Amino acid sequence: MGKIIINGRVCEYTDETNVLEVIRNHGFNVPTLCYRKDLIKDFGACRMCLVEVEGKGLQAACNMPPKDGLVIKTHTEKIRKIRKTILELLIANHDRECTACEKSGNCELQKYALEYDVQPTGKYLTREVKIPIDKSSPAIVRDENKCVLCGACVRACEEYQGLEVLGFANRGSQTIAQPMAGKPIAHTECVNCGQCAAICPVGAITIKSQVEQVWRELHNPNTKVVVQFAPSVRVAIGEMLGLEAGTNLTDKLYTALRYIGFDLVFDTNFSADLTIMEEATEFISRLEKGENLPLFTSCCPAWVRFLELKHPDMLNHLSSCKSPQAMMGSIIKEFVPKYYEGYTSENLVSVSVMPCTAKKAEALREEFKRADGTYDIDYVLTTQELGKMLNTAGLNFKKIVGEKADSPFGKYTGAGTIFGVSGGVAEAAVRTAYELVTGEELKDLVIKPMRGLDRTKTVELDLKGKKLKIKIVNTLKEAEKCIKEIKEGKADYQMLEVMACPGGCINGGGQPISCNEPIIREQRAQGLYDDDEKGQYRKSHENPEIKELYEKHLEYPNSHKAHELLHTTYSNKRKDCYISIGEKEE
Amino acid sequence: MTNCTVKIDFDKINEILQCYNYEKSSLIAILQKVQGIYNFLPEDAITYIGEHIEGLSPATVYGVATFYSQFSLEPKGKYEIKVCDGTACHVRGSSAVLTAIKEKLKLDTGKYTTPDGLFSLEIVNCLGACALAPAVVINGKVHAKMTPEAITLIIDTLIKDERE
């Protein structure tokens, strides 16, 4: 608590940890390229947030704690000139192919260069050698020629995932942020979460786009293109269409996807319900047998890859259920030709829209390859990519009238929709597991302690005398702690829900760029919980289309047929990656 | 960086790691010990160390190894040439000496070991022998008041000795 004077105005502060936050909370702003509220580590590398502090000279606002009585000026002539020089230096060394850059329009360097009227000066040397662009990953593209060395990606990889795939190499003007020895990122222990792309202020790390390929399929008269979109897409895509974060666009998205040429529109929420049917049943069976507990959720492909690379000895804990994207992919390729006229296995193209870059890699898993050599999912777009396509098509979301998804495989329950937020999978599973175990109706559907965006939550439940403990974590750094607990025999919970992105899929690496601003995350989460609230059905096993699917085709959850279609296997993938160096062959 | 294929004895690296209790804070000492074995830091050794110390990764260890000039990612030559480019040596013409060595040994920018493994070149900051500027040290022996001609002669002599 205290007061500081900013630009001649008395400003009160409470629990802000640095002067930059105080400045922002009082209606001012100073530019910054390296500061991210969501990252803990102080960095202060870009020097764009320098302010003049009376008696202390120039200070970086981002790592200066507020102190009562400070007198600060944020935009003096001197500071403006310094900021302009910093920008000139950065731009001299920057690959300025703005028109062709994925990040154009969302680039912070571009924004500040315009604000500070920066022109190429010719005063400074430019980078002579172009560093090759790393396109090895199915999820992200790295172009070090655009890097401003803000270190956000390095910090995100360490603070969120604990992986430190990216690090700084060399020193001084030779410094670059890169994987070990400049290796292609696909050959590292990268799990494709895309948080580095989400947090990059410029176009140095971007999402590997499949927009062109999807347009080509949409315009091809000989194909039938089927689409599904994930829970958290509906509450985030509005940000790219001029709407508030958290705005639920489910029905309008169905319409919009048809407008731009998709032939059938399904909802991944349907297969999220299906996942719950399978996973809750699997969970109960493991509880009864006391086998492979705690059960790990398997919806998050970054988490699955993390286990396959780092802890292959723990794969028996992982639920054998495919992720909702993959389940929907199987359903589409298996049943659409049977249910819908004009669709054959030859002309059917399956596209998914995900908040996630790791889903692009998941779709390419060998396990999801079909007998004819195609994959269950042919293309994966991120929310960002679909947003671009909708803008290309010039759709006005204020005027679009909502429609329904195609049926069957389009209906969903509230349990499916909350899959997009950390804690949602566990909450949905409990809604079904409770009724399966006790045979009684669950009255109070909202399990409060499972909600909220904390990185770790532990919830104890009472299933009519049967005690149950569930742990929910987001970020792999937290997950690693759980693995350690389990290996040391200290884990007393029966289920572990993991989502690799901070907050869950609502904050996935493929979501509209928000610089990981915590408030936007909360709005998106609220959007999903509201969607759950207003749903006709809120428990997966009540979804009439799910019931029909079991009656007509799958018999019962975890049946032989269900296993063939909806479950998968995992394997030690260490050998795909250089980290296995020095390990003895077994 | 070069991709030198050196057979790594991981048991030996394990010994070193154990000796330092796998402590993150001992990284520099560990790297020094490993460099002591191979005369440089092989990439696979860096990867292994990064994987086996908690809180570190191959990328971060590589960052440390490339930050400090005491570490080399290339094998050193039989003759390690250190050219001092401290202030005194610099003003007395170390650049010309350096250019002469690079020309003589055909070392381009970014490459500091000759393909035959005989010579490696390192630029160091102040050896504390300013009175002898410009100074060059070859395998610990100080050569004072170097000129391009003198250093070429020295290298020629070393090459001749090797051939005999």
Side-chain angles (χ1 to χ4, degrees):
Chain A
M1 279 292 278
K3 287 182 183 128
I4 60 178
I5 295 166
I6 303 172
N7 298 335
R9 281 160 205 269
V10 179
C11 301
E12 278 190 31
Y13 65 88
T14 50
D15 55 353
E16 291 93 336
T17 51
N18 60 61
V19 168
L20 180 59
E21 287 296 333
V22 184
I23 293 171
R24 284 184 174 174
N25 288 344
H26 285 88
F28 300 106
N29 200 4
V30 290
T32 171
L33 289 165
C34 71
Y35 176 73
R36 291 285 183 272
K37 194 177 180 179
D38 205 40
L39 297 175
I40 310 153
K41 214 171 261 172
D42 269 349
F43 207 58
C46 77
R47 313 317 280 171
M48 285 293 287
C49 70
L50 283 181
V51 291
E52 269 194 82
V53 185
E54 218 174 79
K56 290 189 172 174
L58 293 167
Q59 297 282 335
C62 71
N63 55 11
M64 183 187 193
K67 207 177 138 207
D68 201 42
L70 284 179
V71 180
I72 287 170
K73 287 191 178 123
T74 62
H75 285 83
T76 63
E77 173 72 8
K78 190 174 173 186
I79 295 171
R80 203 179 53 79
K81 278 191 178 154
I82 291 172
R83 287 189 191 139
K84 194 165 172 174
T85 305
I86 295 169
L87 289 168
E88 282 169 356
L89 282 163
L90 284 173
I91 279 174
N93 223 11
H94 191 77
D95 185 323
R96 294 189 302 280
E97 287 177 352
C98 285
T99 45
C101 180
E102 274 289 317
K103 210 55 176 284
S104 189
N106 286 312
C107 171
E108 287 167 55
L109 183 63
Q110 187 184 47
K111 185 180 105 186
Y112 295 139
L114 283 169
E115 283 176 10
Y116 281 77
D117 197 21
V118 175
Q119 307 290 335
T121 58
K123 273 193 283 189
Y124 310 109
L125 290 175
T126 52
R127 207 194 312 254
E128 283 161 15
V129 191
K130 208 173 151 131
I131 305 165
I133 298 171
D134 179 4
K135 294 180 182 170
S136 64
S137 157
I140 54 168
V141 178
R142 289 175 53 252
D143 184 353
E144 282 164 30
N145 305 291
K146 290 174 183 161
C147 179
V148 293
L149 296 173
C150 71
C153 56
V154 175
R155 285 175 286 157
C157 196
E158 195 270 317
E159 288 189 24
Y160 296 147
Q161 316 302 24
L163 286 168
E164 303 179 56
V165 172
L166 296 168
F168 287 111
N170 308 325
R171 66 195 287 181
S173 62
Q174 302 296 312
T175 309
I176 43 175
Q178 61 166 22
M180 146 87 184
K183 285 187 188 302
I185 195 137
H187 303 148
T188 68
E189 65 273 43
C190 171
V191 295
N192 305 309
C193 76
Q195 285 300 319
C196 54
I199 211 157
C200 179
V202 291
I205 307 182
T206 49
I207 295 167
K208 177 84 123 330
S209 171
Q210 289 197 313
V211 166
E212 271 315 310
Q213 289 94 311
V214 172
W215 275 126
R216 221 174 296 141
E217 296 289 0
L218 290 175
H219 292 143
N220 181 349
N222 302 318
T223 56
K224 294 272 188 188
V225 193
V226 176
V227 69
Q228 56 164 316
F229 65 89
S232 58
V233 173
R234 68 204 68 220
V235 290
I237 198 161
E239 293 158 43
M240 294 183 75
L241 306 162
L243 302 165
E244 183 113 6
T247 310
N248 184 350
L249 290 176
T250 309
D251 298 346
K252 291 189 174 190
L253 260 184
Y254 296 147
T255 318
L257 288 165
R258 289 189 182 112
Y259 272 166
I260 64 172
F262 287 101
D263 297 289
L264 288 174
V265 180
F266 298 128
D267 202 315
T268 314
N269 283 2
F270 167 82
S271 52
D273 280 333
L274 195 56
T275 305
I276 286 303
M277 297 302 290
E278 293 296 322
E279 200 163 313
T281 310
E282 184 185 17
F283 179 48
I284 291 164
S285 135
R286 284 199 200 181
L287 273 181
E288 282 166 359
K289 291 183 200 151
E291 256 176 21
N292 298 330
L293 293 170
L295 171 124
F296 297 168
T297 58
S298 59
C299 309
C300 172
W303 160 236
V304 171
R305 183 167 162 83
F306 174 80
L307 283 177
E308 290 186 321
L309 283 177
K310 293 282 204 179
H311 301 286
D313 53 328
M314 303 294 275
L315 287 169
N316 59 321
H317 288 270
L318 204 52
S319 159
S320 65
C321 294
K322 288 182 183 174
S323 75
Q325 165 180 270
M327 280 200 187
M328 199 68 198
S330 307
I331 298 274
I332 286 170
K333 290 267 163 117
E334 186 73 20
F335 292 119
V336 163
K338 290 180 187 151
Y339 274 85
Y340 293 91
E341 213 171 302
Y343 293 78
T344 64
S345 54
E346 284 78 37
N347 70 10
L348 182 60
V349 175
S350 156
V351 176
S352 66
V353 186
M354 295 285 135
C356 177
T357 47
K359 289 284 174 194
K360 286 175 183 274
E362 183 195 87
L364 295 169
R365 281 177 72 91
E366 280 300 303
E367 293 83 353
F368 303 153
K369 206 172 195 173
R370 303 182 65 79
D372 61 2
T374 64
Y375 289 89
D376 285 344
I377 306 283
D378 296 297
Y379 302 100
V380 180
L381 298 172
T382 56
T383 314
Q384 267 186 46
E385 291 163 76
L386 179 65
K388 259 186 200 169
M389 291 177 76
L390 297 176
N391 281 324
T392 308
L395 299 183
N396 180 350
F397 265 69
K398 288 188 181 120
K399 297 208 169 155
I400 286 178
V401 181
E403 290 174 1
K404 291 259 169 292
D406 284 284
S407 181
F409 322 131
K411 264 204 175 71
Y412 69 89
T413 72
T417 212
I418 57 173
F419 255 62
V421 54
S422 176
V425 176
E427 187 173 335
V430 167
R431 287 183 193 174
T432 291
Y434 182 89
E435 299 199 358
L436 285 178
V437 170
T438 64
E440 283 181 19
E441 199 192 328
L442 182 67
K443 290 266 162 34
D444 201 5
L445 290 180
V446 176
I447 305 163
K448 262 265 166 64
M450 289 190 168
R451 300 190 171 189
L453 299 178
D454 292 343
R455 299 264 160 96
T456 312
K457 290 166 276 187
T458 312
V459 185
E460 280 181 78
L461 297 162
D462 188 1
L463 269 66
K464 292 207 75 192
K466 206 171 169 120
K467 289 261 188 281
L468 200 63
K469 203 166 174 184
I470 297 177
K471 191 153 183 178
I472 297 157
V473 297
N474 55 79
T475 73
L476 296 175
K477 199 170 192 176
E478 292 301 325
E480 175 74 37
K481 289 180 196 163
C482 300
I483 298 274
K484 216 174 162 189
E485 276 173 1
I486 296 164
K487 283 187 177 171
E488 286 169 1
K490 287 183 192 155
D492 58 348
Y493 37 86
Q494 292 81 40
M495 186 193 234
L496 175 66
E497 183 209 283
V498 179
M499 296 190 188
C501 291
C505 313
I506 44 158
N507 193 44
Q511 291 285 56
I513 289 156
S514 71
C515 299
N516 279 7
E517 199 49 59
I519 181 87
I520 290 184
R521 215 177 287 178
E522 280 162 31
Q523 287 170 317
R524 290 174 187 166
Q526 197 50 51
L528 288 183
Y529 287 129
D530 291 345
D531 193 35
D532 167 37
E533 200 83 32
K534 73 174 176 52
Q536 186 189 353
Y537 304 104
R538 296 181 69 188
K539 296 171 205 157
S540 297
H541 55 279
E542 289 177 351
N543 184 335
E545 287 186 356
I546 294 277
K547 284 186 193 167
E548 193 189 314
L549 184 66
Y550 279 108
E551 274 162 25
K552 285 200 178 148
H553 301 284
L554 301 176
E555 296 169 18
Y556 51 89
N558 289 5
S559 70
H560 182 67
K561 272 187 186 160
H563 259 282
E564 269 183 354
L565 204 61
L566 307 175
H567 291 248
T568 184
T569 53
Y570 311 101
S571 59
N572 183 341
K573 300 263 162 72
R574 286 183 74 77
K575 286 276 174 279
D576 296 359
C577 167
Y578 71 105
I579 55 171
S580 66
I581 271 169
E583 284 173 12
K584 294 204 173 76
E585 298 272 345
E586 274 164 32
Chain B
M1 89 212 69
T2 46
N3 282 321
C4 292
T5 40
V6 174
K7 195 106 178 81
I8 310 244
D9 183 353
F10 291 103
D11 291 337
K12 244 183 192 163
I13 296 183
N14 280 336
E15 262 172 46
I16 297 171
L17 287 169
Q18 265 156 24
C19 189
Y20 288 94
N21 212 8
Y22 294 85
E23 290 276 1
K24 187 176 163 178
S25 55
S26 304
L27 178 63
I28 297 213
I30 292 167
L31 291 178
Q32 283 167 339
K33 279 264 152 74
V34 174
Q35 180 157 287
I37 302 175
Y38 299 100
N39 199 10
F40 78 111
L41 289 175
E43 209 176 284
D44 286 356
I46 295 178
T47 302
Y48 192 80
I49 295 166
E51 259 305 280
H52 288 80
I53 299 181
E54 201 178 316
L56 291 177
S57 76
T60 46
V61 176
Y62 184 82
V64 172
T66 54
F67 185 87
Y68 293 105
S69 51
Q70 63 168 307
F71 296 119
S72 172
L73 294 167
E74 271 186 53
K76 293 266 174 69
K78 185 174 174 192
Y79 296 99
E80 285 182 42
I81 309 176
K82 289 180 181 165
V83 179
C84 182
D85 197 27
T87 314
C89 290
H90 188 82
V91 295
R92 283 177 162 252
S94 61
S95 306
V97 174
L98 191 64
T99 313
I101 299 171
K102 281 188 179 168
E103 272 174 18
K104 177 74 205 161
L105 299 176
K106 297 193 178 65
L107 293 172
D108 305 328
T109 27
K111 221 182 158 305
Y112 294 100
T113 306
T114 54
D116 59 5
L118 211 50
F119 293 97
S120 61
L121 174 64
E122 194 183 331
I123 302 155
V124 295
N125 297 317
C126 200
L127 291 162
C130 303
L132 310 176
V136 173
V137 177
I138 301 177
N139 283 2
K141 193 176 169 217
V142 182
H143 298 266
K145 298 191 179 171
M146 279 293 108
T147 61
E149 294 75 24
I151 192 72
T152 313
L153 197 68
I154 293 170
I155 293 172
D156 276 335
T157 317
L158 290 172
I159 294 173
K160 213 178 131 208
D161 288 352
E162 277 300 315
R163 285 202 185 125
E164 278 162 9

